[in-house]
Amino acid sequence: MKKNDIKNTTKYFLFFLLSFFLYNIKELWPLQQFEWSSLFQLDILWIALAILSMFFIERQVGSLSKKIKWLIAISILLFVMIHPMASSITIGGYLAFFYFLMLLTFVCHIKIKYSLSLSLGITVTFLLLLFYIIGICDLLILTPWILGFLALLSLGWLGFYYLTKKKNIIEDLNDFLNLEFLLFAMLFFISICSGFGRYVHTWDEYNMWGLNAKKIIINDSLDGFSYPPIMALWYYISHIFTGFSEPNLYMTHTIFIYIYMMSIFSFVKDKKTIPLLLVLLFCLPALFGGVFGYDTLYADYPSSAVFTFGLIYSYAIVKKENNFVHRLMLLLIAVIITLIKPQGFVLATTLLVIDGMIHCVEDYHWKKKTIWKNIWAVIKRYWIYALIPLFMYVMWVKISGTFFVVERFSSPEITPSTLSGTFISEINIYYLLQFCLHVFKFMDTTLLNVANISSFNYLLLTLLAIYGYYWIKEGKFQKAMLKTLPFFCGILCFYFLTTLSMVVMMNTSDALDLVSFSRYLNNFNVGFLAFLFWLLGVKLYQTKKVPYIAFALVTLVIFIGVPMTQSFSFFADMGSRLAQKQEIEERQQKFEIALKYTEENSRIYVIDQQDKEGYQPMCYSLYYLFPRYTNVNGSINWKIQTSSNREEIKDWALDANHFRTLLGENHFNYVLLYSSTYEFFDEIDFMVKKKSDKSLNKYSLFKVVTEDGSVMLEPIA
């Protein structure tokens, strides 16, 4: 054996020992308590095979062999370092998920010749649309086989392509494994770190985002879905690789965001711009706060990320090559936005309006007499095109209403008038004027956490920044104004449609209070600001007319204005995650009795008589008791009238007799007491079968039985 071979063998053997030690460090400490049999798991075999492949790659010559070798080494180190910290997280599954995405992206990259960042977004877009169709056909149970087939098909296509075309795969891999690849690998790792110790914790997550993920994974179907399913489908696809757990939902949620936000690194020719764009990407959610972060499962940030991708694709690709294929791709991106959340069709329509107006401006011949003719021509050409997102959303509503019927508890007599019907059903001049006044006042509220910038100031600053870009690029006032017009029209379109949707979709009280209005607007604001970062940081710098220091100063101001714990929340909030975990475990404990003593197909009526947390416990029950049916429907049906609260809840008329009737008419099997009072037991005393071993208030689960035609409650536990 050659001296060099001995040296390499020793090096890789030591690397294996280091990996073995790091992987098992949790089992090895303290030293006197570990068992040797627990150290040798299947993962160790995969690590050994990966290191063996590095040994053979070492013999190859060229930059590609070094890239692949370091890629494998980094993957192994990440795997063995993270495993002891989170043994419940299948890091091997995440690595398989990463390489699966990269395999499909590499095929897309070879086929369409785009950069990795754009190819990745296009790949995931097609993957989600494929599984949307599979889900509608109720064939999600075949997902593991379909994913395996896609991987084999990709490998087969690559083999066929390079054998028949006689292309050099080494050159293509060298081009693919570039700085963008390293950036995504880093963001992928950050996404895993951001999910450690995170659990479903907000009412919308219990009621919708987390519940939808749990529903589709348990049922292997879209059965029971009424909400747009794209994010649930993404969680479902990823769980095939990673398994299901609440931290995994947050990890794959962040991965989804970064897949589409990677587009801001496309067309970067000067590498000095990348660190600035990376800092801005980390600061972006902190600028707006709320649900735009990595600690929630809300679909707002993902929809903003896809919107950013769509804007960049439209501006950089469709603008230059306005053909059917590129326009179809942009339309598919708009469809994805539409199927992320109900308000998604507004964002998707805005994307298509901006795209249409860009082409209107590009076709303008700089003669005042032709501008209105051009605008009318664009309207005639694109009006059906712009309505497709709304059509797709309506089609999903019809499909889900026909094939995926959602059964929810309903009792109109305990729903107050302010929560029934929409604002538009009771509209009059007074309400309309009041609503418009609230919207105008809203424009003065703080939007950005940096420098207390209001919504109105933000819109002016973004339009001014775009105008400044075109003025510097074109050097003409009129031309710069005209090229800013598409974005101005896009802003008007989004704000108008969002305001209109509040009137159409919400009840009177929520519409007048502009509930979640800022959140809906920020779907556009976040995505548009990310696009602006790309436009100024990449395109403007390429003009060579503005020094690099200008963009660097803007980045520095934003970075200084945002607290570090918010900019790097994927690492910085570990302490709060631990505290939150204890609170969530205590919450889960209240439902353990029901999970233990009831069947999965049973119907459980949940009572929260103390009513200290409002509607929250009902959302908890919907999530933790799934797939069991519960009495959650948005009305106050979780407590009954007693002497102390009769005046408070008289509008809902849920007294003990009415409660008894509801149990029988809706065929409930059990009653679970999330909280109770002595007054509550006094009110229902006539319908409870007594137990002699302990007092009634010690029970929290009752079985609903019928005796002589009357509904009775039998204490269980």
Side-chain angles (χ1 to χ4, degrees):
M1 185 180 288
K2 295 180 181 180
K3 184 177 180 181
N4 194 45
D5 289 340
I6 295 174
K7 182 180 177 182
N8 285 338
T9 303
T10 304
K11 178 175 65 175
Y12 286 113
F13 180 70
L14 291 174
F15 183 54
F16 172 76
L17 289 179
L18 175 64
S19 303
F20 181 84
F21 174 77
L22 291 174
Y23 182 87
N24 289 299
I25 193 169
K26 196 172 181 180
E27 285 77 16
L28 286 170
W29 187 264
L31 293 175
Q32 66 272 18
Q33 293 183 6
F34 76 90
E35 296 181 8
W36 284 102
S37 59
S38 67
L39 303 183
F40 295 95
Q41 302 179 34
L42 184 60
D43 288 337
I44 297 298
L45 175 61
W46 294 116
I47 291 171
L49 290 174
I51 293 175
L52 189 61
S53 68
M54 289 174 62
F55 175 77
F56 288 107
I57 291 171
E58 179 81 16
R59 297 170 176 269
Q60 305 299 317
V61 180
S63 59
L64 178 63
S65 63
K66 292 181 180 178
K67 288 181 179 179
I68 295 176
K69 184 181 71 174
W70 280 107
L71 178 63
I72 295 173
I74 291 170
S75 299
I76 292 171
L77 284 175
L78 291 178
F79 175 68
V80 299
M81 289 171 65
I82 293 175
H83 177 264
M85 294 185 287
S87 55
S88 62
I89 306 299
T90 53
I91 304 301
Y94 276 98
L95 288 175
F97 188 37
F98 175 81
Y99 287 120
F100 172 77
L101 290 176
M102 289 299 97
L103 173 62
L104 298 188
T105 303
F106 182 59
V107 171
C108 182
H109 169 73
I110 297 300
K111 192 70 178 173
I112 63 178
K113 307 300 180 185
Y114 290 164
S115 64
L116 182 145
S117 53
L118 289 181
S119 299
L120 178 61
I122 291 170
T123 299
V124 172
T125 297
F126 277 110
L127 187 67
L128 289 170
L129 289 173
L130 171 65
F131 277 93
Y132 173 67
I133 295 170
I134 291 170
I136 288 176
C137 298
D138 205 18
L139 295 173
L140 286 178
I141 192 70
L142 301 176
T143 297
W145 298 98
I146 295 171
L147 293 175
F149 174 75
L150 287 175
L152 291 175
L153 183 65
S154 299
L155 290 171
W157 183 88
L158 288 172
F160 176 79
Y161 176 81
Y162 284 106
L163 286 174
T164 57
K165 301 291 184 180
K166 296 183 179 180
K167 298 283 187 178
N168 190 339
I169 191 172
I170 303 299
E171 291 180 2
D172 287 337
L173 280 172
N174 257 320
D175 180 55
F176 185 73
L177 299 175
N178 55 16
L179 184 58
E180 286 187 12
F181 180 88
L182 293 177
L183 278 172
F184 180 66
M186 181 190 73
L187 293 174
F188 194 91
F189 171 69
I190 287 174
S191 300
I192 295 175
C193 295
S194 74
F196 283 151
R198 295 201 193 279
Y199 295 88
V200 173
H201 60 284
T202 66
W203 80 277
D204 258 356
E205 291 176 335
Y206 283 115
N207 195 41
M208 194 179 305
W209 311 115
L211 177 65
N212 285 345
K214 192 174 182 180
K215 191 183 294 183
I216 193 173
I217 290 170
I218 290 176
N219 292 339
D220 290 311
S221 170
L222 290 177
D223 187 38
F225 263 73
S226 61
Y227 207 84
I230 284 296
M231 291 310 299
L233 285 168
W234 173 252
Y235 300 139
Y236 185 80
I237 293 168
S238 59
H239 107 279
I240 300 298
F241 296 92
T242 65
F244 173 66
S245 70
E246 291 181 19
N248 280 340
L249 295 181
Y250 290 88
M251 293 176 188
T252 51
H253 181 85
T254 307
I255 289 169
F256 183 93
I257 292 169
Y258 283 146
I259 282 173
Y260 284 99
M261 279 298 185
M262 274 292 296
S263 58
I264 70 172
F265 300 107
S266 58
F267 302 100
V268 175
K269 294 183 179 179
D270 195 305
K271 293 181 180 179
K272 289 188 294 183
T273 314
I274 288 180
L276 301 181
L277 289 170
L278 200 58
V279 169
L280 289 170
L281 178 60
F282 291 153
C283 291
L284 186 62
L287 289 175
F288 293 88
V291 301
F292 292 90
Y294 309 109
D295 59 341
T296 72
L297 296 177
Y298 282 71
D300 299 78
Y301 199 7
S303 64
S304 297
V306 183
F307 180 63
T308 299
F309 181 82
L311 284 174
I312 292 174
Y313 186 84
S314 170
Y315 191 88
I317 304 297
V318 183
K319 179 182 172 184
K320 295 179 180 178
E321 304 175 46
N322 186 16
N323 58 40
F324 173 76
V325 174
H326 292 137
R327 190 152 296 287
L328 177 63
M329 187 62 234
L330 185 65
L331 187 59
L332 295 179
I333 295 168
V335 170
I336 289 293
I337 298 173
T338 302
L339 295 174
I340 288 180
K341 53 181 297 186
Q343 289 78 16
F345 77 87
V346 175
L347 200 59
T349 303
T350 303
L351 171 63
L352 298 180
V353 166
I354 292 174
D355 177 68
M357 288 300 298
I358 286 175
H359 289 288
C360 171
V361 169
E362 291 298 316
D363 294 338
Y364 179 56
H365 302 299
W366 310 112
K367 295 178 182 179
K368 293 182 180 178
K369 293 181 181 180
T370 64
I371 184 169
W372 294 111
K373 290 183 179 179
N374 276 358
I375 291 176
W376 178 242
V378 168
I379 291 173
K380 288 194 295 183
R381 185 177 177 183
Y382 290 107
W383 72 273
I384 294 179
Y385 178 68
L387 287 177
I388 287 177
L390 178 59
F391 170 76
M392 290 298 300
Y393 175 66
V394 172
M395 188 176 76
W396 162 251
V397 171
K398 293 295 182 183
I399 290 172
S400 63
T402 305
F403 300 105
F404 309 120
V405 180
V406 181
E407 184 186 8
R408 283 289 181 93
F409 172 72
S410 178
S411 181
E413 64 269 26
I414 55 174
T415 303
S417 59
T418 54
L419 296 180
S420 59
T422 59
F423 177 67
I424 198 170
S425 65
E426 302 179 9
I427 197 167
N428 57 49
I429 295 298
Y430 171 75
Y431 277 140
L432 190 60
L433 290 175
Q434 194 175 9
F435 175 75
C436 292
L437 181 62
H438 287 185
V439 171
F440 280 114
K441 285 183 177 179
F442 171 83
M443 297 305 292
D444 286 331
T445 59
T446 300
L447 176 68
L448 290 181
N449 296 330
V450 178
N452 292 324
I453 296 174
S454 70
S455 298
F456 181 70
N457 298 144
Y458 168 78
L459 294 179
L460 289 179
L461 286 171
T462 52
L463 287 172
L464 185 61
I466 292 173
Y467 170 76
Y469 163 72
Y470 282 114
W471 184 71
I472 291 170
K473 185 179 179 182
E474 305 291 347
K476 294 181 180 180
F477 172 81
Q478 184 186 12
K479 205 169 183 180
M481 286 289 289
L482 199 60
K483 291 211 167 188
T484 307
L485 183 63
F487 302 101
F488 177 71
C489 291
I491 290 171
L492 286 181
C493 174
F494 181 80
Y495 274 64
F496 172 74
L497 290 177
T498 302
T499 304
L500 185 63
S501 69
M502 296 284 291
V503 175
V504 173
M505 300 172 70
M506 290 196 168
N507 60 60
T508 306
S509 176
D510 289 348
L512 287 177
D513 292 340
L514 298 180
V515 173
S516 299
F517 189 51
S518 62
R519 197 185 104 202
Y520 297 150
L521 293 180
N522 282 344
N523 281 249
F524 173 86
N525 294 333
V526 172
F528 194 64
L529 187 59
F531 168 75
L532 196 59
F533 289 161
W534 173 81
L535 192 66
L536 299 179
V538 177
K539 291 295 183 180
L540 182 60
Y541 183 60
Q542 290 176 9
T543 64
K544 304 298 183 184
K545 294 181 180 178
V546 174
Y548 173 78
I549 194 67
F551 189 63
L553 285 173
V554 172
T555 305
L556 184 63
V557 168
I558 293 175
F559 187 61
I560 291 174
V562 174
M564 189 185 74
T565 53
Q566 293 182 22
S567 298
F568 301 101
S569 60
F570 39 80
F571 291 120
D573 64 345
M574 289 291 184
S576 62
R577 294 185 213 180
L578 294 174
Q580 187 183 75
K581 182 181 178 182
Q582 183 177 357
E583 178 185 341
I584 290 169
E585 287 175 347
E586 292 174 359
R587 186 179 298 156
Q588 285 180 286
Q589 194 65 33
K590 295 194 175 185
F591 298 96
E592 288 298 324
I593 289 177
L595 295 176
K596 181 178 180 181
Y597 290 101
T598 66
E599 306 80 28
E600 288 191 351
N601 62 346
S602 59
R603 304 165 75 91
I604 303 177
Y605 199 106
V606 180
I607 289 288
D608 178 27
Q609 189 64 27
Q610 295 180 14
D611 195 17
K612 293 181 178 179
E613 302 176 72
Y615 188 59
Q616 292 272 30
M618 304 307 291
C619 298
Y620 304 156
S621 68
L622 196 62
Y623 179 78
Y624 290 122
L625 295 179
F626 182 82
R628 297 159 182 82
Y629 176 92
T630 64
N631 56 306
V632 178
N633 76 337
S635 61
I636 301 180
N637 57 29
W638 57 83
K639 61 181 179 180
I640 68 172
Q641 292 183 19
T642 63
S643 57
S644 61
N645 69 12
R646 202 174 304 278
E647 192 66 27
E648 175 193 350
I649 65 170
K650 61 182 180 182
D651 292 340
W652 285 270
L654 185 59
D655 56 21
N657 288 316
H658 189 191
F659 171 55
R660 188 182 199 179
T661 302
L662 287 177
L663 293 178
E665 288 180 350
N666 291 275
H667 309 291
F668 281 98
N669 307 114
Y670 298 93
V671 173
L672 175 67
L673 304 184
Y674 183 85
S675 70
S676 60
T677 63
Y678 287 107
E679 288 181 331
F680 169 78
F681 285 111
D682 290 340
E683 292 289 334
I684 68 166
D685 184 71
F686 69 96
M687 55 185 295
V688 178
K689 295 178 67 176
K690 300 295 189 299
K691 285 262 185 176
S692 59
D693 57 338
K694 57 181 179 180
S695 61
L696 200 59
N697 61 6
K698 300 295 182 181
Y699 290 92
S700 60
L701 183 67
F702 297 79
K703 187 173 183 178
V704 180
V705 296
T706 303
E707 291 186 356
D708 300 326
S710 299
V711 172
M712 302 294 288
L713 297 179
E714 180 181 341
I716 299 295

